[in-house]
Amino acid sequence: MSKIPPIDLAREYQTIRHEIEAAVGDVLVSGQYIGGPQVAEFEAEFGTYVGTSECVACNSGTDALYLALRALDVGPGDEVITSPFTFFATAETISLTGATPVFVDIDETFNLDAQQVEAAISEKTRAIVPVHLFGQPADMTRLGAIAASHQLAIVEDCAQATGARWQGRPVGSLGTVGCFSFFPTKNLGAFGDGGAVTTNDPAIARRIRRLKDHGASARYYHEELGANSRLDALQAAILRVKLRYLDGWNARRQAIATTYSQCLAAVDAIAVPSVRAGAISVWNQYTIRVPQSRPSQNTDNGGAISTRDRLQGSLQESGIATSIYYPFPLHLQPVYRHLGYRSGQLPLVERICTEVLSLPMFPELSHPEQDRIITVVKDALSQLGDPQTLPS
Ligand SMILES: Cc1ncc(COP(=O)(O)O)c(C=O)c1O
């Protein structure tokens, strides 16, 4: 029985191999490996795609967030409100500026709960960092209104949502600044690290260009401490090819998500992901929730194993690899112990971390493979027994 991986980048490569190899070959013979026309063209094309007047390419999504926060002068003494349910870089970059991340709970869409954001605003709050998690835009209408009424910046973490739209508008064009990752597993992935910042504010873009180049406004003339954060010409050339395919790939992800939801929605023991009205998700992940179906079962070593983990084990035995994004919420990470959050303080995210399971999701997933995944999920759940409907 063939194995089904959570994502298969080699399969994607085969579909565009000739174009990629030609683009890479052009860069290699050009002799221009840092900066140059490939990076400039990619910035222009990606800015057009996102619908912003400015786009600055950089080395990673992490750097995009860090540079954006620095460009907004976020620093020591400031607070930045963000989600506890995201990859660590979202909060880490806030901390690296010297500011303090303030975590508030999420809602059933896995994104920031706007009401809780408003309740967490203090005199020190400078910005909100919503994360468009798993490809689904956060409620940018409510968050935008809250930010406007408190004069806060919005730094959108678009790492998992390239191509997603909120009320018809692309993510990355909705806040003050948009931050993208081109890590290989993202919807638009490079063959290495890469990132970009988008904005309609030329002054912010200028500052980010300076910060990503060691704080230099002219060659060997440094006005502030910055970073070395460049997108390589090779990655830019690869991304330019892949950008042309992105909408088609995202449409395929949407079709796969629709099939998953249609086939799994009626299964009582799990909850399929909910999408907020107005959000067009690009499904970087398709993440179900598997609540505890009965008081925990004991393992041989006396520990407890959750229904989610048992389902994951059954899928693994059938050759289907799944992932858990994310097993621990950020407010309870050891690195943030000093912030004083208690277990139980953000109850929904804490519960969701024990329930989430991301099924294989990539544009090249075949119909027979998806049918097999759905069948195995249903069979495994019926064998795990005692299904319990999620509380509404
Ligand atoms: C939500 C989120 N933010 C930020 C990042 C950081 O991006 P990168 O890995 O390109 O630094 C990631 C990448 O995993 C992410 O998923």
Side-chain angles (χ1 to χ4, degrees):
M1 183 179 38
S2 62
K3 291 195 185 318
I4 304 178
I7 179 170
D8 192 339
L9 296 173
R11 241 192 259 188
E12 178 194 270
Y13 175 57
Q14 288 306 332
T15 68
I16 50 169
R17 180 177 185 158
H18 298 298
E19 279 176 86
I20 294 284
E21 288 175 358
V24 167
D26 287 348
V27 174
L28 296 183
V29 297
S30 77
Q32 174 108 45
Y33 307 135
I34 299 284
Q38 290 292 345
V39 176
E41 287 296 314
F42 174 69
E43 288 182 337
E45 289 163 10
F46 194 67
T48 302
Y49 182 82
V50 173
T52 54
S53 59
E54 310 287 335
C55 171
V56 183
C58 63
N59 182 256
S60 66
T62 304
D63 280 6
L65 288 162
Y66 176 70
L67 295 167
L69 291 162
R70 286 279 314 274
L72 293 167
D73 286 322
V74 170
D78 295 335
E79 290 178 353
V80 177
I81 299 171
T82 195
S83 170
F85 195 52
T86 173
F87 180 60
F88 180 55
T90 313
E92 181 187 34
T93 48
I94 295 168
S95 301
L96 286 173
T97 67
T100 302
V102 173
F103 298 107
V104 302
D105 215 343
I106 54 173
D107 63 23
E108 299 288 332
T109 67
F110 301 136
N111 282 329
L112 270 182
D113 180 334
Q115 206 174 328
Q116 303 214 26
V117 169
E118 183 141 44
I121 291 172
S122 78
E123 282 176 4
K124 295 179 181 171
T125 309
R126 287 289 319 283
I128 304 168
V129 182
V131 182
H132 306 308
L133 199 77
F134 302 152
Q136 179 177 182
D139 183 344
M140 292 303 291
T141 306
R142 289 188 67 197
L143 292 173
I146 291 167
S149 70
H150 295 270
Q151 287 157 356
L152 305 175
I154 294 193
V155 176
E156 297 176 72
D157 184 338
C158 309
Q160 300 184 9
T162 308
R165 287 172 177 264
W166 172 253
Q167 295 186 342
R169 291 173 55 204
V171 299
S173 68
L174 303 157
T176 319
V177 188
C179 299
F180 291 84
S181 164
F182 305 127
F183 185 78
T185 60
K186 303 308 190 215
N187 293 48
L188 178 64
F191 290 180
D193 279 306
V197 183
T198 52
T199 180
N200 285 313
D201 185 329
I204 292 176
R206 261 196 311 280
R207 181 91 186 275
I208 290 171
R209 275 194 199 285
R210 184 168 92 184
L211 284 165
K212 75 163 198 160
D213 189 19
H214 302 286
S217 55
R219 204 154 193 213
Y220 302 129
Y221 187 77
H222 304 272
E223 298 199 44
E224 60 181 327
L225 298 178
N228 170 3
S229 186
R230 298 183 279 243
L231 181 71
D232 293 341
L234 273 176
Q235 301 302 346
I238 289 164
L239 288 167
R240 289 184 68 202
V241 172
K242 293 183 76 174
L243 184 57
R244 297 199 285 272
Y245 290 90
L246 179 61
D247 285 343
W249 286 333
N250 282 343
R252 176 72 190 123
R253 286 175 184 271
Q254 284 156 351
I256 293 169
T258 301
T259 302
Y260 271 142
S261 291
Q262 278 168 354
C263 297
L264 296 175
V267 180
D268 277 347
I270 59 174
V272 297
S274 41
V275 179
R276 191 186 303 281
I280 302 288
S281 175
V282 289
W283 300 101
N284 184 251
Q285 299 295 335
Y286 184 89
T287 303
I288 59 171
R289 285 173 62 188
V290 190
Q292 197 58 7
S293 63
R294 55 171 103 151
S296 59
Q297 284 228 332
N298 285 336
T299 57
D300 290 345
N301 63 9
I305 179 160
S306 69
T307 311
R308 186 268 313 271
D309 293 351
R310 287 155 69 215
L311 175 61
Q312 185 176 39
S314 303
L315 288 164
Q316 187 70 42
E317 278 166 25
S318 303
I320 297 166
T322 56
S323 311
I324 294 174
Y325 302 116
Y326 294 93
F328 308 109
L330 294 189
H331 67 292
L332 299 179
Q333 292 282 346
V335 66
Y336 286 132
R337 216 170 268 143
H338 65 284
L339 296 179
Y341 289 92
R342 288 168 285 100
S343 181
Q345 195 168 342
L346 304 181
L348 188 55
V349 68
E350 290 171 34
R351 179 169 150 204
I352 279 176
C353 284
T354 68
E355 296 179 348
V356 280
L357 188 67
S358 298
L359 302 181
M361 167 57 85
F362 51 97
E364 300 76 22
L365 186 74
S366 70
H367 293 285
E369 282 175 324
Q370 190 176 16
D371 290 346
R372 195 173 118 209
I373 295 163
I374 290 163
T375 304
V376 174
V377 168
K378 285 181 175 169
D379 288 354
L381 283 169
S382 66
Q383 280 160 29
L384 292 176
D386 295 348
Q388 162 195 292
T389 311
L390 272 180
S392 52

